[in-house]
Amino acid sequence: MGDIEVRKLRTLLPAVEAAVREVGARLAERRPAEPCPEFGLAGAMARFAAFDDPAAAELRARLGVLRPEAGRLEDEFDGAVPAEGEWWLCDAMDGAVQFLLGLPQWAVTATLVRDGAAVLAVVHAPQLGARTYRAVRGGGAELDGRPIAAVERELAAAVAGTSQPPAVAADPVALRRAGASLSAVAGAVLAVRNLGPTSLQVAQVGSGHLGLFWEFGADAANLLPGALVAAEAGAAVTDAAGALWRPAADAFLAAAPGLHGRALPLLRDLD
């Protein structure tokens, strides 16, 4: 993108962040302190919808006012990202499992997607110190208003994050590779952790709080915002074969370039 477009998007960032923060604050106020009491999946999903539906509708409406020419993707679980045009992709509750269990590891995200690629992203964690990542394609990445950069480490000194897409159980290949990769990575790094929201963990690669993040299975909606933050912070963001990551990819790896080069063979050689 040219400098003029980068400046326009950076001008838009504060209003997007304000919308994300306000929606997150209201969700945090409403969230019960105790774990969701429902025994079965249907009850838990109903409880999730009671929180998520109004928050997501408010966030989409506010983003629509800020950039009315952009369409709004209505279902973050669909996973499909249009290859053409501008679209708002938002998730009022990335980390819904933690939210419903009374844990603080959840986030609110807003991403502007243009022709299938993220060009603006905000990732906000209301109950983790209200920390906020934001990025514009070609304009760098920030955490709480400060520029960030991915941090190089020895593979043996790196802490790796991972997660699983919502529908990974329906993808036997991704499920098998996720299990195999856990053994491969855990034997090569200092520690492996799942710290909650996928978007937040990927963004944390960009700020050096995590050395790397990987995942198997298609998960565009959760990966897009953090992937932009990480890439703008200097991380290499690819699939498991080392090709530039695309929303339709079935695998994901983000790390500082040197660390990425050492981690990639662990995932590339699984088969």
Side-chain angles (χ1 to χ4, degrees), residues 155-173:
L155 186 60
V159 175
T162 191
S163 188
Q164 298 82 41
V168 71
D171 185 345
V173 174

Side-chain angles (χ1 to χ4, degrees), residues 25-52:
R26 275 190 280 279
L27 273 171
E29 289 173 358
R30 293 181 57 214
R31 192 196 69 155
E34 299 302 319
C36 167
E38 276 73 16
F39 176 77
L41 180 60
M45 290 302 293
R47 179 67 64 99
F48 162 76
F51 285 104
D52 183 74

Side-chain angles (χ1 to χ4, degrees), residues 78-102:
D78 177 34
V81 176
E84 296 181 352
E86 275 197 355
W87 300 86
W88 283 113
L89 173 66
C90 63
D91 190 344
M93 201 188 298
D94 185 10
V97 172
Q98 292 82 242
F99 182 97
L100 293 175
L101 290 176

Side-chain angles (χ1 to χ4, degrees), residues 54-141:
E58 178 188 352
L59 186 53
R60 291 189 195 102
R62 292 191 59 167
L63 296 174
V65 171
L66 295 176
R67 191 88 165 187
E69 63 270 30
R72 284 173 280 181
L73 299 175
E74 297 294 328
D75 184 2
E76 69 266 21
F77 295 113
D78 177 34
V81 176
E84 296 181 352
E86 275 197 355
W87 300 86
W88 283 113
L89 173 66
C90 63
D91 190 344
M93 201 188 298
D94 185 10
V97 172
Q98 292 82 242
F99 182 97
L100 293 175
L101 290 176
L103 297 170
Q105 293 93 347
W106 57 280
V108 184
T109 71
T111 310
L112 183 63
V113 179
R114 180 182 298 162
D115 296 336
V119 295
L120 177 153
V122 174
V123 179
H124 173 61
Q127 295 189 303
L128 291 174
R131 309 206 80 182
T132 305
Y133 289 87
R134 61 188 203 175
V136 165
R137 187 178 179 186

Side-chain angles (χ1 to χ4, degrees), residues 6-22:
V6 170
R7 285 197 295 271
K8 286 181 179 178
L9 290 173
R10 288 192 63 83
T11 300
L12 182 63
L13 261 181
V16 176
E17 180 180 344
V20 167
R21 281 179 169 272
E22 289 171 22

